[in-house]
Amino acid sequence: RALTVDWPRGANSIGQLEFSVIADVDSEIFENNPADTAEANNRVETTIASGPDLIVQNLRIAEPTVEAGGLITILWEDSNEGVAPTISSFNDRLVVFNASRDETLLDVSVAFVPILSGGDIQPGEFRERSFSYRLPEGVRGAGTIEIRVTADRNANGGGSLFETNPAGTAETNNEATFSLVSAPKFYA
């Protein structure tokens, strides 16, 4: 036998969805087996995880060269590798870190609001994201600069979307890192 159902839309399509099939639900058929479990083995269940799986891809900067005090435009894509769309707003966490000085220069949440960003991110789609930041003047803005973007994370480390994938890594595969060298700026 087979039964076709219409998959729910919106918030009802996301999460751990459980399906149960019960044979002889009204116990109308006499059943027997050597283990005496014939009436107890009529139920089969399966659970399907349905949700988006956001990953950050193509993290880069727009500028060909960077120096202390310079403005950089950070670019990335939030890609949905899951089986369901993102159905609400979320934040990407952006951290700019000067590895040469062991100093965090910026730690900010960048909001994704579907109505302002081309709608929910459907499975297989991505949205271009960007953020402009001026590096500090002097030695704080020079050296090896690491940029880290984590999809669906706020500054406190929390996310707002239920994410899933077959590998079980959907909540931990959301990060990308990019490094660059910022030249010191010589002052007259």
Side-chain angles (χ1 to χ4, degrees), residues 17-38:
L17 304 174
E18 183 177 291
F19 296 87
S20 298
V21 175
I22 304 170
D24 190 24
V25 69
D26 293 326
S27 297
E28 295 175 349
I29 299 173
F30 173 76
E31 298 178 60
N32 192 10
N33 66 23
D36 201 26
T37 60

Side-chain angles (χ1 to χ4, degrees), residues 105-149:
L105 303 175
L106 178 72
D107 188 344
V108 66
S109 293
V110 182
F112 176 84
V113 181
I115 197 165
L116 302 175
S117 305
D120 295 327
I121 306 174
Q122 300 296 319
E125 292 183 351
F126 65 88
R127 294 291 184 275
E128 288 277 351
R129 310 295 313 278
S130 66
F131 188 88
S132 293
Y133 172 68
R134 184 169 300 281
L135 290 169
E137 297 285 349
V139 295
R140 291 186 62 230
T144 300
I145 307 295
E146 294 177 357
I147 299 168
R148 183 176 67 243
V149 176

Side-chain angles (χ1 to χ4, degrees), residues 57-80:
Q57 60 187 21
N58 297 323
L59 177 58
R60 63 208 184 276
I61 62 168
E63 295 72 21
T65 59
V66 177
E67 72 175 357
L71 185 67
I72 58 172
T73 302
I74 302 162
L75 306 165
W76 71 95
E77 298 167 356
D78 281 341
S79 179
N80 183 356

